[in-house]
Structure formats: structure tokens, C-alpha cells
Amino acid sequence: MKNFLIATNYIKDKNLMLTSRIENYISMHGGTSRRIIGDVDGCISYQKEFDEDFDGIIALGGDGTILKVSRDLRTLNIPIVGVNLGTLGFLAEVEPEHIFPVIDRLLKDDYEMEERMNIYGSIYKNKKDSPLHEDVALNDIVISRAGFSRVIGLKVYVNGKVMDIYEADGVIVSTPTGSTGYNLSAGGPIVSPKTNLMIVTPISPHSLTSKSIVLSSEDEIVIEVLQMRKAQAEEAIVNFDGQQGILLSAGDRIVVRKSQSVTRMIKLFDVSFYEVLREKIANHI
């Protein structure tokens, strides 16, 4: 790798001090770099004037920054290495104090590549056949209660058959990468990011028997919003990787499948996912 795109969350890297040091280091060691600046909520967007061939993306922030970079720069299909300026950092493999030895390895092409499964969601309104919105998620697609809803009704189909009907705060459809995110907080299982599968996890279900379900990556999941209150038109909201949500009404449905696209992550250290998991959780307790 010689040409890098540095995507920085300016809230995490105050005054862009680390960003500037990385740019100088790459330049001094025969590489080139460009920077884009933003935050998790908004502004990491690809600049057309930087329309060139980048070998890799260095994402400075937390897992939210990496998710944002993955979304905004997906069409470039460039591998990402994350530098953890956040807290837990399951996606960000590199700690700031190790960044310069890591850059040395990247310049020498001394790394491995991991492909992470994405999921693709289509939103259909008012029983129409054409989707209102389509998007891809690396972590999860979440359907949750909107407005003053205390509980929402969601009917979940798998390959055309009813799997379950939830009265809950919502439902998470997670990828293996997203299993350590909201899915974990909601009591869902942790799975290796190398697997290809989908996890359906209810959020605070009003049932003692509702549990997470692990499905094949080849399955099709349809989630239909049920009418719970006649006085409230908009029952739920759907988010892709925590981005701005789309309001849903009774009868609306979300179709979720495995995406044809993948997110390429640069792997530098010979440490298993389970070792990282144990360390991250132990340090967070």
C-alpha cells in the first residue's frame, strides 16, 4: 500500500493532531495520503476532487466511525483499518500507540484481508411492490418503536413462513460483525465475524419465551409492522447501522437479505476474535 485515504472523526481526534502526525509519517516513508473529516452523525463524505485510486483507508475514531466510513465509501471497495479512539472498539483493531509500526507494515504490504458480510434491506410502504428505500448495513438493521409507542407489534417471516410475532420495543436483524453491538446489548448471541449468517433478536419482548434466532445467510427475512393503536399512524422506525431512521406505519414491511457487497477489513495481528472478545469485555467491566 502506498496511497491512503485517512477518514477522521474530528470529535475523537481533537485538533486533528493524530491525523496530521499520520500524514507526515506516511509522506516521510514514501507514501501519499488524503484526508476527509467528519463525525459519526454526519459528515464523512467522499470528496470528488479526491477521485483517485486509494490502496487503503485508515479510519480514526471508534466503531461508529468505521461503520460510517464503510457506508459512505462502500462503492470504492477499499479495505479499511480502524484506529480505536473510542471505548470498546471491536472493529478498530489498532490502538493509537501502535499506529506507526502498523503503517510500516501497510507500506510493506504485510497484512491479511478479512471480508465481512453485509445485509441488504428494502422498505415497502402501503403494500406497494416497489421499495420506498433500500440500503446496506455492516452491523444491523433495527426496527424500533417510534413516537409515544410503548410497545409495537412485529410479524417476522422467514422464507415466506411466519417465524414469530413479537410485541416488543423492536427487533434487530444483525450480521456476524454486528453481533457484538446492539444485538449483544439486547441479549443476542455473539458469533464469529467470519461466519455467514443472520441473527434476529427481539428488543425487550413482552414474552418469557421470545429468544434470538440464528438464520442462514441464504434466508429471506420479512418484518411486517402490525397495527397496535388506532390513534397512532406511525408505529415504528427503521435504522440501518444507526443512521437516521425512516418512519413506518402499520402494514409496512422490511425485507432483509444477505447483500452482494462485502466490507473488506485489514487484519494485522495474529489474534483470534475470541481473544479480542475476552480482552475487550474484561476491560469494559
Side-chain angles (χ1 to χ4, degrees):
M1 287 187 175
K2 295 297 182 185
N3 195 8
F4 298 89
L5 184 60
I6 304 172
T8 300
N9 182 334
Y10 66 85
I11 296 174
K12 301 288 186 180
D13 184 19
K14 292 183 180 179
N15 300 318
L16 304 178
M17 292 181 63
L18 183 57
T19 300
S20 297
R21 290 174 61 200
I22 291 172
E23 288 175 327
N24 291 335
Y25 191 91
I26 290 172
S27 177
M28 290 173 57
H29 290 78
T32 59
S33 66
R34 298 276 189 153
R35 69 164 70 167
I36 49 175
I37 309 299
D39 59 27
V40 172
D41 293 325
C43 308
I44 294 178
S45 57
Y46 184 57
Q47 303 297 313
K48 294 299 182 184
E49 60 265 29
F50 295 165
D51 195 6
E52 55 192 277
D53 292 330
F54 295 102
D55 301 317
I57 299 171
I58 301 174
L60 301 178
D63 283 359
T65 303
I66 295 174
L67 290 173
K68 183 67 176 168
V69 168
S70 170
R71 291 177 59 78
D72 288 356
L73 308 182
R74 179 173 289 115
T75 57
L76 300 181
N77 195 31
I78 304 172
I80 304 168
V81 59
V83 181
N84 183 30
L85 305 183
T87 51
L88 221 55
F90 280 103
L91 288 174
E93 186 182 17
V94 181
E95 296 301 322
E97 59 268 25
H98 300 143
I99 182 58
F100 299 114
V102 161
I103 292 173
D104 290 337
R105 290 184 57 185
L106 294 176
L107 289 167
K108 296 174 183 176
D109 293 328
D110 179 19
Y111 59 86
E112 295 181 0
M113 200 81 71
E114 245 181 34
E115 291 189 345
R116 301 290 184 92
M117 171 186 161
N118 292 328
I119 49 177
Y120 174 82
S122 307
I123 300 171
Y124 294 84
K125 300 281 287 185
N126 302 319
K127 302 188 183 299
K128 291 182 178 179
D129 293 330
S130 298
L132 168 74
H133 180 77
E134 300 170 289
D135 209 343
V136 175
L138 169 59
N139 251 21
D140 51 40
I141 298 172
V142 179
I143 302 93
S144 55
R145 56 192 177 93
F148 296 103
S149 292
R150 291 180 295 277
V151 66
I152 53 177
L154 298 168
K155 183 182 287 188
V156 181
Y157 301 82
V158 177
N159 301 328
K161 306 293 184 182
V162 177
M163 183 188 80
D164 209 337
I165 298 175
Y166 297 118
E167 290 188 11
D169 285 354
V171 165
I172 304 163
V173 182
S174 170
T175 66
T177 297
S179 70
T180 54
Y182 195 2
N183 168 75
L184 175 60
S185 299
I190 298 173
V191 299
S192 167
K194 294 181 179 181
T195 57
N196 280 281
L197 52 83
M198 295 181 286
I199 307 165
V200 177
T201 298
I203 307 168
S204 302
H206 286 220
S207 168
L208 295 175
T209 58
S210 293
K211 303 294 182 183
S212 296
I213 303 292
V214 178
L215 301 172
S216 164
S217 61
E218 304 307 314
D219 288 332
E220 178 188 82
I221 302 166
V222 178
I223 301 173
E224 179 184 355
V225 180
L226 303 178
Q227 181 77 58
M228 297 293 286
R229 283 163 210 84
K230 294 181 180 178
Q232 184 169 313
E234 292 166 338
E235 293 275 355
I237 187 168
V238 58
N239 301 89
F240 294 76
D241 278 344
Q243 298 302 300
Q244 184 174 358
I246 298 172
L247 289 169
L248 303 172
S249 304
D252 295 345
R253 66 194 192 280
I254 304 95
V255 180
V256 182
R257 306 180 182 91
K258 177 183 176 182
S259 173
Q260 296 301 310
S261 69
V262 296
T263 297
R264 296 196 293 160
M265 302 292 296
I266 294 169
K267 186 170 177 58
L268 292 147
F269 304 109
D270 188 21
V271 180
S272 76
F273 166 71
Y274 305 102
E275 291 176 270
V276 172
L277 179 68
R278 185 177 65 248
E279 179 183 351
K280 295 283 186 181
I281 291 180
N283 290 341
H284 194 64
I285 293 174

